[in-house]
Amino acid sequence: MKLKFWGVRGSINSPLSPDQYRNKLRNVLNLSTGKDLEDLGSIERFIDDLPLSLSTTYGGNTSCVTVNDEENLIILDAGTGIRNLGNELLSGKFFNSRIREYNLFFSHLHLDHINGLPFFAPVHFKDIKLNFYAHHNEFEKYLSLQQNFNFFPVSLESRPCKKKFAELNDDDVITVGNFSVFSKPLNHPNGSYSYKIVDRSGRKIVYATDGEYTAKTIVSEFFDFFRGADILIFDSQYNFNELAQRYNYGHSTAEIGVDAAVNSGVKKLILFHHNHENDDDKISALYFSAIKYKEAKYPSYDLAVVIANEGMEISL
Ligand SMILES: [Zn+2]
Ligand SMILES: [Zn+2]
């Protein structure tokens, strides 16, 4: 079972700005004084030792995550990260190129979760089959609307790939080869859905993005659904102050993720759906505050807290 992140941002694409790039460069050069940078190996080691916010960027693309084994590919959301996924599928760099059927589950239809679809190149091939799943009524119509001629030059229905659209009910369990996919509604404007993917050995990945846990929906209602997950991918868009100011926006914090993970027996928590307003330094700060919170509140609980970045891969 493999997990890969193709887009980790919330709300809208947020590429590095020229100023942000220059600041990174300045900070890296400052830290390089007196370091051994004689050959490529020592340069790589120097980069590896940099703080995360300098050695990399968390990435600017919106939500897209894959879960796969040798034979089956599940795609969670079609934010702009799906464009690179499509290119790597076609080039054979990612996934078994003999398998031409992919399964795309939408958490919901907000733009940051669908607007990479027009740029997902596999739609242009007639030997490829795409199975679309979502809980939202008439979602085929809304995906189609996004590619109405007023908005985009090429319609979804005109694309030669084979397409199947399945509207899901809350209790449905979808079988994709060795995987079973369960779902649970989240508190989000017009609704969002979390997905739990379980393989035949019982390994579990939960994808829970775009969810708010406040008075209306308390986080303990989700403990059973998250229970025992190897990985919980969690909406960590805000810090506490921002959450207080953005009641009913439908998002959460890393600390609520820590509480949920510990109380549900989760092994690894992955912070996801980073705020488009935050640069890499702010995202790092949010990550370190989550680690501090975990150490202070649950010192003896063995929970790995990880921050999602574009391109991150995990095998389990
Ligand atoms: Zn979103
Ligand atoms: Zn949303």
Side-chain angles (χ1 to χ4, degrees):
M1 196 177 198
K2 285 189 175 152
L3 169 69
K4 184 163 181 178
F5 291 82
W6 302 85
V8 300
R9 287 285 185 161
S11 306
I12 190 166
N13 283 44
S14 29
L16 271 186
S17 70
D19 282 348
Q20 287 169 348
Y21 176 75
R22 203 178 164 90
N23 282 339
K24 265 185 207 284
L25 204 54
R26 188 182 305 113
N27 290 333
V28 169
L29 289 173
N30 256 331
L31 291 172
S32 72
T33 313
K35 292 278 165 33
D36 168 20
L37 301 171
E38 286 300 301
D39 52 38
L40 283 178
S42 55
I43 290 172
E44 283 296 328
R45 282 192 294 282
F46 168 71
I47 294 172
D48 288 342
D49 289 343
L50 287 168
L52 272 178
S53 59
L54 292 180
S55 65
T56 185
T57 173
Y58 295 106
N61 281 302
T62 58
S63 301
C64 181
V65 171
T66 50
V67 174
N68 70 287
D69 59 15
E70 291 301 310
E71 304 288 324
N72 308 285
L73 175 64
I74 290 175
I75 304 167
L76 298 162
D77 281 331
T80 58
I82 202 171
R83 183 175 66 89
N84 287 335
L85 167 62
N87 295 343
E88 291 209 10
L89 286 170
L90 292 178
S91 71
K93 276 206 267 178
F94 179 73
F95 195 57
N96 183 341
S97 57
R98 283 180 298 104
I99 311 275
R100 309 294 274 174
E101 180 169 350
Y102 314 133
N103 304 280
L104 216 170
F105 288 77
F106 292 94
S107 60
H108 62 312
L109 306 179
H110 283 163
L111 283 174
D112 52 323
H113 299 259
I114 65 166
N115 69 3
L117 189 60
F119 300 91
F120 184 53
V123 299
H124 304 302
F125 294 83
K126 65 172 192 260
D127 65 329
I128 284 178
K129 182 176 182 203
L130 293 176
N131 301 315
F132 295 92
Y133 300 93
H135 285 266
H136 292 65
N137 291 340
E138 301 184 288
F139 78 95
E140 178 181 357
K141 184 176 95 182
Y142 295 113
L143 291 179
S144 215
L145 184 63
Q146 152 171 257
Q147 291 181 234
N148 173 284
F149 195 55
N150 285 287
F151 304 129
F152 196 74
V154 183
S155 72
L156 179 60
E157 44 283 21
S158 73
R159 296 302 79 213
C161 74
K162 295 177 200 71
K163 304 168 210 67
K164 190 187 96 183
F165 294 86
E167 283 183 20
L168 301 176
N169 296 308
D170 288 12
D171 295 333
D172 288 346
V173 180
I174 304 300
T175 302
V176 177
N178 293 319
F179 299 126
S180 300
V181 185
F182 302 79
S183 42
K184 183 172 171 69
L186 294 160
N187 176 20
H188 192 70
N190 198 38
S192 177
Y193 276 77
S194 56
Y195 291 106
K196 175 163 62 184
I197 301 162
V198 185
D199 74 3
R200 291 216 173 122
S201 332
R203 284 175 290 228
K204 284 180 208 158
I205 294 174
V206 177
Y207 177 73
T209 193
D210 295 60
E212 180 172 330
Y213 309 88
T214 45
K216 230 200 271 176
T217 317
I218 52 171
V219 71
S220 58
E221 289 171 21
F222 290 81
F223 292 169
D224 279 345
F225 190 72
F226 297 162
R227 181 91 50 218
D230 296 276
I231 289 178
L232 170 62
I233 302 163
F234 197 82
D235 177 342
S236 313
Q237 175 135 335
Y238 299 141
N239 63 29
F240 268 130
N241 290 338
E242 290 163 342
L243 182 68
Q245 287 157 17
R246 292 174 172 85
Y247 184 66
N248 274 341
Y249 278 42
H251 297 290
S252 184
T253 72
E255 286 79 5
I256 293 172
V258 169
D259 287 336
V262 170
N263 284 289
S264 312
V266 166
K267 296 187 183 75
K268 186 178 283 191
L269 170 70
I270 302 186
L271 310 179
F272 184 73
H273 203 270
H274 308 317
N275 193 338
H276 58 287
E277 300 285 1
N278 288 352
D279 61 14
D280 285 328
D281 287 337
K282 282 196 185 145
I283 295 171
S284 281
L286 190 143
Y287 169 56
F288 292 126
S289 100
I291 303 242
K292 237 166 116 180
Y293 178 82
K294 187 260 153 200
E295 289 307 322
K297 196 165 173 192
Y298 310 103
S300 57
Y301 186 89
D302 188 16
L303 172 72
V305 182
V306 174
I307 189 142
N309 65 281
E310 218 169 287
M312 185 168 87
E313 287 180 89
I314 295 174
S315 292
L316 68 162

